[in-house]
Amino acid sequence: MSNRSAISAVFAVHGAVAGTFATRVPWIEHRLGLGPTLLGLALLCPSIGAFAGMPMASRLAHRVGGRTATRGLLAAWCAVLALPALAPAPGWLFPAMLLFGVTSGMCDVVMNAHALTLERRLRRSIISGLHGLWCVGSLAAGGVGILAAHAGVDARLHLGTVALALLGAGVLAGRQLFPDRAAPGAPAPRRFALPGRAILAIGAVGFCGTFAEGASADWAAVYLTKVADAGPGLAAASFTIFMSCMAATRLAADRLVGRIGPVTLVRCGGAVAVLGGVLVVTARTPWQGITGFALLGVGVATVVPMVFAAAAATEANAGEGVAGVATITYLSGLTAPAVTGWTAGAFSYPAAFTMITCIVAMITVTAGALRPRTGTAGAGAPSEAASVPASSQGAGRS
């Protein structure tokens, strides 16, 4: 297995853990007798855990090396997958969900930093495709989870079996990751990697993209039901279509990064997302709404990968940069569904997605923050064209 294949498997496994867990939340809710308030608090715990863990991730990677940190944290997250279903009472569920978020967020940071280090070694963009594989892993595992739920399989058995399988896959992939320990004498990252001014500017781009992503993923089905009179099956399919469009765009985007650069790519994506938002706002038939959500997925797909790449190139320590923007994007993903719901309740669903359309329009305005800076310690290249050259420019292979 090559270095590229190994990190690809890591991203797919990470996505599969997330996709698996999402399908069994209703089982956990029913078993523990959770009402909407307690369930909402439980689902908030992973985000709180991620916020707590992310700033410490780069320091861990500096101490033990990116490969070791990625392997250990991925194994921990796979193992933690089984814990929420084993909780005998809500009081046990909350710490399990917090731990789920800590391991998820820290693994997210170190695996992205490791991938971006490999990207610089290969001298071609790979990060967007890796995020695409994350979506593929999530969708595939989610499909298996839906089948298991439909068949009435006990979630403890389902999650435990999947956790073992993914743990094995993660261990095999982790063995093939390349060693990337910090150079002797290199300064350790800050204990808590609070974002600086440059990271805040990059994070603003990510905030806009992740806000639209989170709102669309959570509200697409409801919007189509309430506004476009879609049936339950068609409304439910909108999420799969949205995520599939994101995955396909990410898998194809690395070639475009080398040709037109991250700034132009993200700006074009922002324009596509605005078109999608307009279609959603004006939709009164299901298929126009689904088309709009599909274009929103295409438009925002490359934002997070390009934001992570820009942040890693801005900071001397790639993990510290990734941790900074990851914290911002997690905040966006956490607040987007709630703000969208509040806006829809106060005004209307079209008004809520008018707000989202305005937010994605800001991507085209702020995308310049992703332009590589000459002389930055982590950039590894002096210009946008050179920072992520296409494979046709003589890029190396793992």
Side-chain angles (χ1 to χ4, degrees):
M1 184 183 292
S2 66
N3 297 148
R4 169 69 186 275
S5 298
I7 193 64
S8 297
V10 167
F11 272 75
V13 168
H14 194 282
V17 175
T20 298
F21 175 75
T23 63
R24 303 319 303 260
V25 170
W27 186 94
I28 296 171
E29 176 190 18
H30 177 74
R31 177 172 179 265
L32 297 180
L34 303 177
T37 301
L38 282 179
L39 179 61
L41 289 173
L43 294 177
L44 182 63
C45 287
S47 295
I48 295 173
F51 273 115
M54 278 181 168
M56 299 181 288
S58 57
R59 194 172 181 89
L60 174 65
H62 176 84
R63 179 171 298 176
V64 303
R67 178 175 67 175
T68 301
T70 300
R71 292 173 62 184
L73 288 168
L74 183 64
W77 199 40
C78 290
V80 170
L81 172 62
L83 291 184
L86 296 174
W92 291 92
L93 177 63
F94 295 135
M97 296 289 277
L98 282 170
L99 185 58
F100 189 80
V102 169
T103 53
S104 170
M106 293 184 70
C107 185
D108 198 356
V109 168
V110 297
M111 75 184 194
N112 272 282
H114 187 83
L116 289 162
T117 301
L118 177 61
E119 180 174 278
R120 288 198 292 271
R121 290 177 57 167
L122 298 177
R123 295 194 59 78
R124 59 188 171 94
S125 177
I126 63 170
I127 191 65
S128 182
L130 294 176
H131 280 252
L133 289 171
W134 189 98
C135 293
V136 171
S138 180
L139 285 168
V144 173
I146 290 171
L147 293 175
H150 184 72
V153 177
D154 190 296
R156 290 167 291 190
L157 175 61
H158 172 218
L159 296 186
T161 302
V162 172
L164 286 174
L166 293 178
L167 177 60
V171 168
L172 289 175
R175 289 176 178 174
Q176 304 303 317
L177 297 174
F178 69 93
D180 61 340
R181 293 190 67 92
R190 292 168 291 174
R191 189 173 300 275
F192 289 96
L194 298 177
R197 182 177 300 177
I199 294 298
L200 286 174
I202 295 169
V205 185
F207 186 95
C208 295
T210 310
F211 193 98
E213 180 182 339
S216 298
D218 282 16
W219 286 97
V222 176
Y223 188 95
L224 291 174
T225 301
K226 299 290 187 181
V227 178
D229 294 323
L234 198 56
S238 63
F239 171 78
T240 302
I241 293 171
F242 173 79
M243 288 297 294
S244 297
C245 287
M246 283 194 64
T249 303
R250 286 174 170 176
L251 290 170
D254 284 321
R255 290 184 179 274
L256 291 175
V257 176
R259 293 180 181 179
I260 64 177
V263 174
T264 303
L265 178 66
V266 171
R267 278 183 174 155
C268 290
V272 171
V274 168
L275 175 60
V278 171
L279 287 177
V280 169
V281 170
T282 59
R284 296 300 178 268
T285 62
W287 284 108
Q288 181 180 337
I290 287 174
T291 301
F293 281 114
L295 290 176
L296 274 169
V298 170
V300 303
T302 60
V303 172
V304 170
M306 295 301 100
V307 161
F308 279 14
T314 297
E315 296 287 343
N317 182 281
E320 190 169 330
V322 171
V325 296
T327 302
I328 296 171
T329 57
Y330 262 66
L331 174 63
S332 177
L334 175 64
T335 58
V339 172
T340 302
W342 295 335
T343 306
F347 300 98
S348 67
Y349 286 102
F353 275 86
T354 298
M355 171 192 70
I356 291 167
T357 303
C358 293
I359 289 173
V360 295
M362 292 301 298
I363 294 173
T364 62
V365 177
T366 58
L370 306 184
R371 185 171 290 109
R373 301 161 182 263
T374 57
T376 51
S383 67
E384 179 175 342
S387 63
V388 281
S391 55
S392 59
Q393 293 173 290
R397 296 186 181 274
S398 57

